[in-house]
Amino acid sequence: MANPRVILVFSGKRKSGKDYVTDMLQELLGDSVSHIMKLSAPLKKQYAIEHNLDFERLLDTTEYKEKVRVDMIAWGERKRDEDSAYFCRLSTETSPGFHKPVWIISDARRKTDINYFKETYPSATMTVRVTADIATRENRGYVFTRNVDDAASECDLDGESFDLVIDNNGDSAKLAATLQSLKQSISSKLTV
């Protein structure tokens, strides 16, 4: 069986709960068949190296990352202008989960991210958008930040169509049912 068999490319606004949803899905699928890959991880690692910052702290949700977010976004845009698929390739090819049949890309932010997977792995790729209303996102700590929430990293996928939209407004039963259905769909693709 060639890998990957299924690539789930997740996207969503800040504080929509992408990491929460992808963590839950990965737990349902199990470590033996799936792996979460973050497109932002190699970006943050290289940015940390070039700017003498703590890479581990750039991965969390603390104020440390927020202080450099605007500059990090601009730096990432310059890298993408040179090679739009750079971070997609880097995050998948260096991932310890490269050999697993299910890849969960937890943080697509641009059309070029989605296009990379659709063009490179056309039969395996499924796009998933995680949504949450503004009140829910604010309860999770979201505060509009100029040059972040109105930048391409947050807005490039607005208005796009997705194979699946997951409502993550806090209804845990609805979310669990949606993820269980998605798991069944994935499992059927793995047995073909």
Side-chain angles (χ1 to χ4, degrees), residues 33-164:
V33 298
S34 65
H35 189 77
I36 295 174
M37 300 178 185
K38 295 182 179 292
L39 301 181
S40 62
L43 181 154
K44 290 173 183 174
K45 184 169 190 166
Q46 192 59 39
Y47 181 82
I49 291 167
E50 290 185 21
H51 294 84
N52 198 28
L53 297 169
D54 183 340
F55 168 62
E56 293 300 322
R57 291 191 63 201
L58 288 179
L59 293 177
D60 62 28
T61 58
T62 63
E63 194 61 31
Y64 186 83
K65 177 175 69 178
E66 296 306 318
K67 288 180 182 176
V68 297
R69 185 185 287 270
V70 171
D71 185 61
M72 187 167 51
I73 289 169
W75 177 87
E77 292 300 330
R78 289 190 299 275
K79 288 286 191 191
R80 280 186 187 85
D81 287 345
E82 296 168 15
D83 177 1
S84 64
Y86 176 75
F87 294 115
C88 294
R89 277 194 315 277
L90 191 59
S91 68
T92 56
E93 292 171 2
T94 62
S95 172
F98 184 79
H99 66 283
K100 296 190 180 181
V102 180
W103 295 359
I104 302 169
I105 309 301
S106 66
D107 58 350
R109 300 220 171 249
R110 290 166 186 76
K111 293 172 190 149
T112 54
D113 296 341
I114 289 176
N115 290 341
Y116 169 79
F117 290 102
K118 283 184 169 182
E119 291 167 9
T120 308
Y121 307 97
S123 63
T125 300
M126 176 182 184
T127 58
V128 184
R129 183 73 166 182
V130 177
T131 63
D133 62 38
I134 193 72
T136 301
R137 292 171 58 213
E138 286 172 344
N139 285 339
R140 295 175 182 156
Y142 170 78
V143 175
F144 178 85
T145 304
R146 190 170 152 79
N147 296 323
V148 172
D149 295 300
D150 53 0
S153 62
E154 286 297 317
C155 300
D156 196 39
L157 295 174
D158 291 356
E160 292 296 304
S161 296
F162 300 92
D163 298 313
L164 176 65

